[in-house]
Amino acid sequence: MCRSVEEGRRRADKVAVGGTSIDGAVLVRMFVDEEAGDYGEPEILVSVGDVPDIEE
């Protein structure tokens, strides 16, 4: 979990250039209100490397 979109993009960029042992990553943004138990629809911001297809 990342605290900001910028942090998520930095991590995804690192995966994309082979800077980790991770094969792939998907950066997803989702609005959450834990107190109310509300969760928004996930928004895929970027997908890098080798990741399986996402089934809807």
Side-chain angles (χ1 to χ4, degrees), residues 3 16 28 30 33 40 48 53:
R3 300 218 179 262
V28 178
M30 189 168 150
D33 182 343
V48 296
D53 291 333

Side-chain angles (χ1 to χ4, degrees), residues 5-38:
V5 172
E6 293 78 20
E7 179 185 354
R9 289 191 189 279
R10 281 193 301 274
R11 286 179 159 188
D13 288 346
K14 195 172 186 179
V15 170
V17 298
T20 70
S21 61
I22 299 169
D23 290 334
V26 177
L27 178 59
V28 178
R29 175 172 47 190
M30 189 168 150
F31 293 100
V32 175
D33 182 343
E34 291 180 0
E35 289 182 18
D38 291 335

Side-chain angles (χ1 to χ4, degrees), residues 37-56:
D38 291 335
Y39 299 87
E41 290 294 318
E43 176 187 0
I44 298 173
L45 301 177
V46 69
S47 177
V48 296
D50 185 20
V51 295
D53 291 333
I54 297 174
E55 295 180 22
E56 294 191 28

